[in-house]
Amino acid sequence: MRVFGVTGWKNAGKTGLMERLVAEITSRSFTVSTVKHAHHSVDVDQPGTDSHRHRMAGAAEVLLASGQRIALMHELRGAPEPALDVLLDRLSPVDLVLIEGFKSARHPKIEAFRAEPGNPLIALDDNTIRAIASDTPLDLDLPIFDLDDTAAIADFILGEVGL
């Protein structure tokens, strides 16, 4: 599978860009999946549900299935967080996987950048960043896109991955 990432500091516009890219790229008849890294504890399940009760009882995995979707919850129970390549191996085949976060992973990325938070550019020290989507003009030796120019960013990513 082809992968491309969106990275950046907190409040840089990553999630909004991801959402717009998924909509834009799927509108072009490509299949897209996403992987999102979270730095905090995440639980998609709710206390009191049957699936939550199964997990609390000690199940290693709980697969929840309905007519609309399936959700697989895997409890790490103290094991280390799986590497990105292990997570990607769990996905069904698609044309493109967009990855949000995973700053230190070595896949190609675009950096979402907003001037307001005052964070430094990650791209200055990371050669996996192929372009920047910014809300302010920048003078760098990389392609720079307006953060809101979703179509141009999608064109760039699809070109980078050969789609």
Side-chain angles (χ1 to χ4, degrees):
M1 283 187 290
R2 295 169 171 97
V3 300
F4 204 91
V6 174
T7 194
W9 298 111
K10 184 177 181 181
N11 297 320
K14 297 180 302 293
T15 301
L17 179 56
M18 285 280 292
E19 183 179 15
R20 293 189 312 273
L21 286 170
V22 170
E24 175 70 26
I25 294 170
T26 59
S27 77
R28 299 180 189 192
S29 299
F30 293 107
T31 55
V32 178
S33 289
T34 66
V35 176
K36 161 74 174 129
H37 190 262
H39 291 285
H40 49 82
S41 179
V42 172
D43 195 346
V44 297
D45 208 359
Q46 299 297 313
T49 62
D50 293 349
S51 54
H52 187 268
R53 291 172 62 189
H54 296 182
R55 289 175 41 231
M56 294 302 104
E61 289 189 328
V62 175
L63 187 105
L64 183 60
S66 75
Q68 290 76 37
R69 71 190 50 85
I70 60 169
L72 176 63
M73 293 167 278
H74 178 97
E75 294 296 312
L76 294 177
R77 304 210 188 275
E81 180 180 336
L84 179 58
D85 61 332
V86 172
L87 297 172
L88 291 171
D89 285 345
R90 296 187 75 137
L91 293 177
S92 299
V94 291
D95 296 317
L96 176 64
V97 178
L98 290 173
I99 300 166
E100 181 178 345
F102 290 92
K103 282 186 196 82
S104 61
R106 303 309 301 161
H107 59 281
K109 305 171 189 80
I110 187 166
E111 180 176 355
F113 180 79
R114 284 196 172 124
E116 175 59 32
N119 293 314
L121 281 164
I122 298 168
L124 299 176
D125 297 314
D126 185 343
N127 65 2
T128 66
I129 295 176
R130 306 288 196 256
I132 299 173
S134 176
D135 69 349
T136 189
L138 299 170
D139 185 21
L140 294 172
D141 193 23
L142 285 173
I144 309 292
F145 298 94
D146 184 288
L147 186 57
D148 294 322
D149 193 351
T150 307
I153 296 168
D155 289 342
F156 175 79
I157 290 171
L158 293 172
E160 285 286 298
V161 300
L163 288 175

